[in-house]
Amino acid sequence: MRPSSSPRTASTPSARSARLGVAGVAVVAGFDPTNLASGTTIGVLLVLLGAVSFALGGVLTRPLSTDLPMESTTGWAMGLGGFLLLAGAVARGEPVGNVAWTETALLSFAYLTVVSAILGFLIYFTLMERVGPTQLNLVGYLEPVVAALAGWALLGQGVDAATISGFATIFAGFALVKRRALYDVAMRTTAAVTS
């Protein structure tokens, strides 16, 4: 597709923000372009593919408005997604019968179903209606930041200079899209401090 001069070209602040965010996530994750066959590189590429798919899903499904309530739309989307995942597992020959239904597995499944899937997607689709997919998908850039900080706080993992520079790059991408809101906050804060 050829870029046009419309506001949705790759030169918009949103597109630059996305590039900065992806670059920051790659830095935080330890992406090494000189070793493309490493497990870290493959993992980073899979996470990137997932994030792009999720973001594209938000953008591409937005025009498909229905008269269904958000809960019904979310339920149908989750049902279809579950069916596609099951079909993919069967096509790959995944051994579904080997699943061990332990108490931990059932509690994990319940948590992922109720909190991550049902509650998470209801919040996601509600916010997508209110703020749009571009701003909503900015949250995805914070996932590696939260993961790195949780690893530091809970597991004692190090946060090095490269990780901090990745955080700064992610923030720069966020600030590029939210620059007006950040400016308004800065002006209100300055006015409150000086008064």
Side-chain angles (χ1 to χ4, degrees), residues 5 12 37 52 62 64 70 105 107-108 111 152 166 178 181:
S5 60
T12 64
V52 168
R62 193 157 189 222
L64 303 175
M70 185 56 58
L107 288 173
S108 299
Y111 172 81
W152 167 74
K178 300 301 288 181

Coordinates of all heavy atoms in Angstrom, one line a residue, residues 5 12 37 52 62 64 70 105 107-108 111 152 166 178 181:
S5 N -0.9 11.4 1.7 CA -0.7 12.6 2.5 C -1.8 12.8 3.5 O -1.9 13.8 4.1 CB -0.6 13.8 1.6 OG -1.8 13.9 0.9
T12 N 2.8 10.4 11.0 CA 2.0 10.9 12.1 C 2.6 10.7 13.5 O 3.4 9.7 13.6 CB 0.6 10.4 12.1 OG1 0.6 9.0 12.4 CG2 -0.1 10.6 10.8
A37 N 19.0 -15.8 15.8 CA 18.5 -17.1 16.1 C 18.5 -17.4 17.6 O 18.1 -18.5 18.0 CB 19.5 -18.2 15.4
V52 N 1.4 -6.6 17.8 CA 0.9 -6.0 16.5 C -0.5 -6.6 16.1 O -1.4 -5.9 15.7 CB 1.9 -6.3 15.4 CG1 1.3 -6.0 14.0 CG2 3.2 -5.4 15.6
R62 N -12.8 -1.9 14.8 CA -13.5 -0.7 15.3 C -14.7 -0.4 14.3 O -15.8 0.0 14.8 CB -12.6 0.4 15.4 CG -13.2 1.6 16.1 CD -12.2 2.5 16.8 NE -12.8 3.4 17.6 CZ -12.5 4.7 17.7 NH1 -11.5 5.1 17.0 NH2 -13.1 5.5 18.5
L64 N -16.6 -2.3 12.8 CA -17.6 -3.3 12.8 C -18.5 -3.1 14.0 O -18.7 -3.9 14.8 CB -17.0 -4.7 12.9 CG -16.0 -5.1 11.8 CD1 -15.3 -6.4 12.1 CD2 -16.7 -5.1 10.4
M70 N -21.9 -4.6 24.7 CA -20.5 -4.9 24.8 C -20.2 -6.3 25.4 O -19.3 -7.0 24.9 CB -19.8 -3.8 25.6 CG -18.3 -3.9 25.7 SD -17.5 -3.9 24.0 CE -18.0 -2.4 23.4
A105 N -3.8 -25.8 38.6 CA -4.2 -25.6 37.2 C -5.6 -25.1 37.2 O -5.9 -24.2 36.4 CB -4.1 -26.9 36.5
L107 N -7.3 -23.4 39.5 CA -7.3 -22.0 40.0 C -6.7 -21.0 39.0 O -7.3 -19.9 38.8 CB -6.6 -21.9 41.4 CG -7.3 -22.5 42.6 CD1 -6.4 -22.5 43.8 CD2 -8.6 -21.8 42.9
S108 N -5.6 -21.4 38.4 CA -5.0 -20.6 37.3 C -6.0 -20.4 36.2 O -6.1 -19.3 35.7 CB -3.7 -21.3 36.8 OG -2.8 -21.4 37.9
Y111 N -8.7 -18.0 37.2 CA -8.2 -16.6 37.3 C -8.1 -16.1 35.8 O -8.5 -14.9 35.5 CB -6.9 -16.5 38.0 CG -6.2 -15.2 37.9 CD1 -6.6 -14.1 38.7 CD2 -5.3 -14.9 36.9 CE1 -6.1 -12.9 38.6 CE2 -4.7 -13.7 36.8 CZ -5.1 -12.7 37.6 OH -4.6 -11.4 37.5
W152 N 12.4 -6.9 39.3 CA 13.4 -6.3 40.2 C 12.8 -6.3 41.7 O 13.6 -6.7 42.6 CB 13.6 -4.8 39.7 CG 14.3 -4.0 40.7 CD1 15.6 -4.0 41.1 CD2 13.7 -3.0 41.6 NE1 15.9 -3.1 42.0 CE2 14.7 -2.4 42.4 CE3 12.4 -2.5 41.7 CZ2 14.5 -1.4 43.3 CZ3 12.2 -1.5 42.6 CH2 13.2 -1.0 43.4
G166 N 15.6 1.8 27.6 CA 14.4 1.3 27.0 C 13.1 1.9 27.6 O 12.2 2.3 26.9
K178 N 0.7 11.6 23.6 CA -0.1 12.3 24.7 C 0.5 13.7 25.0 O 0.3 14.2 26.1 CB -0.1 11.4 26.0 CG -0.7 10.1 25.8 CD -2.2 10.2 25.3 CE -3.1 10.7 26.4 NZ -4.5 10.8 26.0
A181 N -1.9 16.4 26.4 CA -2.4 16.1 27.8 C -1.2 16.3 28.8 O -1.5 16.8 29.9 CB -2.9 14.6 27.8

